[in-house]
Amino acid sequence: MSQLNIVILAAGKGTRMHSNHPKVLHEIGAKPILGHVIDCAKALNPDKVIVVYGFGGEAVKEQLSKENITWVNQAEQLGTGHAVQQAVPHLEDRANTLILLGDVPLVDVEACRKLIAHSDSKLVIQSFNKTDPAGYGRIVRSADGQVAAIVEHKDATAAQRDINEVNTGIMAMPNKYLKKWLLQLTNNNAQGEYYLTDIVSLAVAEGVQVSAEITEDEWSVTGINSKTDLVQIERVYQSRIAQKLLQQGVTLKDSSRLDVRGSLACGRDVEIDVNCVFEGNVTLGDNVKIAANCVIKNAVIAAGTKIAAFTHIDDTAIGENSRIGPFARLRPGTILAADTHIGNFVELKNAQVDIGSKVNHLSYIGDATIGKQVNVGAGTITCNYDGANKFRTVIEDGAFIGSDSQLVAPVTIGKNATIAAGSTITRDAPADSLTLCRAREQKTIVGWQRPTKIKK
Ligand code: UD1
Ligand code: MG
């Protein structure tokens, strides 16, 4: 196999997106459109990936700066041929080049592999039979069925416009030919552009073989030009992820009401109810059940844990057989051990909770370390912030925090300590004792009467 260079064309403005952001930075599955194309390129193990950028280029480079890419600026967009010309200084003489389009996010790795495999001494273009081919370059074949030229829609004759086989824009060829052909392009056509597609007739004239690989998968060659295209491709992308999960044995209550914006790894017998969104990297262990309307980001949830409806989880690890939600919010840095219960309207942030502990109702637990078998009563708040600095609350094993308590950090509640309901704890509470701190002691007025309605 020859060396492989990949050129991704991404300089187009994307006028029809009606956006101030470059088209290729709009997202599918929370990843820039161009990021998907780069992923496909990388999967092909190229020696070099070159992205031709233009409109909003600095933002494009910045957002994808982690990628090992050669960036080439096409200051003026004078056509696809002109775009590839900008990459020529980076193309290795003995390599082959695969051309990809930066706005076609579902581009198929296997189809590209096939194109590359056949491109060692010829030009291979990927084509598609389109029911409504308007706007596309048509594949014109000679009487014996050989590819003779690509004619752009605007340059095509009425007869050529009847051709349904269209150019997808994806093609591969040896660089020694490509470099030569690019020098021969002119902009003498309906759009006044340097068409890359003109290399087909140049190849034919030179006696270099041209072949077309016809793809059946329309979505894999569909470019995004508008917000309508964007949402359509998003749904295709999501339904493909859902199908993969179903094939692996995941139960989805409705495969059309799931959004995975990142990666979702599932064990056996996982169940996911409707309208859940998974972001970043999420791992669900065996028998994990996620109820409806949960948003889960960068989380590892161990086997047997149940997440009840409307729960929001971010940067969190949850141990086995835990019960979370409904309406719980687990914020970054939360680490829950096995058998923990976090209930409704409970917010945890940077909190570590050990085995068997419960925070079941209406609490804020931030910057806290909670031991084993602790019960945190309803409405308990860790006061972790004095307006300038944050402090930790430590609650040791077996402690019981009465409802509506405030634990003013830094503070430690000792092992098996009990805090009376309604206490504001500002100093460490010793182990094995009851600590209470209430503003007023309770009193009772015997014989007190409730007010009655005044008669008019
Ligand atoms: C191109 C093809 C057409 C094919 C169609 C498939 C040419 C001349 N035509 O047409 O045969 O059927 O794609 O979608 O190649 N780009 C640049 N710089 C430029 C111009 C374009 O980087 O100066 C990039 C765009 O960002 C885009 C890609 O090249 O990613 C295709 O450009 P576009 O303007 O969409 O070409 P089409 O006219 O659709
Ligand atoms: Mg196009």
Side-chain angles (χ1 to χ4, degrees), residues 162-217:
D162 284 341
I163 298 170
N164 288 96
E165 188 181 4
V166 300
N167 172 32
T168 66
I170 298 170
M171 50 180 82
M173 71 298 283
N175 285 354
K176 60 174 182 197
Y177 294 138
L178 176 64
K179 287 186 173 184
K180 193 164 58 174
W181 297 331
L182 287 173
L183 292 172
Q184 299 171 46
L185 297 181
T186 69
N187 63 354
N188 185 17
N189 53 51
Q191 301 184 81
E193 287 184 6
Y194 294 90
Y195 293 161
L196 178 62
T197 43
D198 284 350
I199 67 174
V200 173
S201 46
L202 293 171
V204 171
E206 219 180 286
V208 174
Q209 205 192 338
V210 184
S211 69
E213 294 283 340
I214 305 176
T215 178
E216 304 280 317
D217 177 7

Side-chain angles (χ1 to χ4, degrees), residues 250-272:
V250 175
T251 298
L252 301 175
K253 295 296 179 185
D254 182 348
S255 59
S256 69
R257 282 187 286 167
L258 167 79
D259 286 80
V260 179
R261 301 174 189 159
S263 78
L264 174 61
C266 294
R268 289 179 84 81
D269 296 305
V270 165
E271 279 182 34
I272 302 172

Side-chain angles (χ1 to χ4, degrees), residues 9-13 23 52 74 76-83 101-103 135-138 150 152 166-169 191 193-197 221 225:
L9 304 184
K13 185 158 185 231
K23 175 165 87 171
V52 182
Q74 186 194 20
E76 258 190 300
Q77 277 91 66
L78 302 179
T80 49
H82 180 258
L101 306 185
D103 60 359
Y136 285 80
R138 307 298 205 283
I150 296 177
E152 291 306 300
V166 300
N167 172 32
T168 66
Q191 301 184 81
E193 287 184 6
Y194 294 90
Y195 293 161
L196 178 62
T197 43
V221 299
N225 293 306

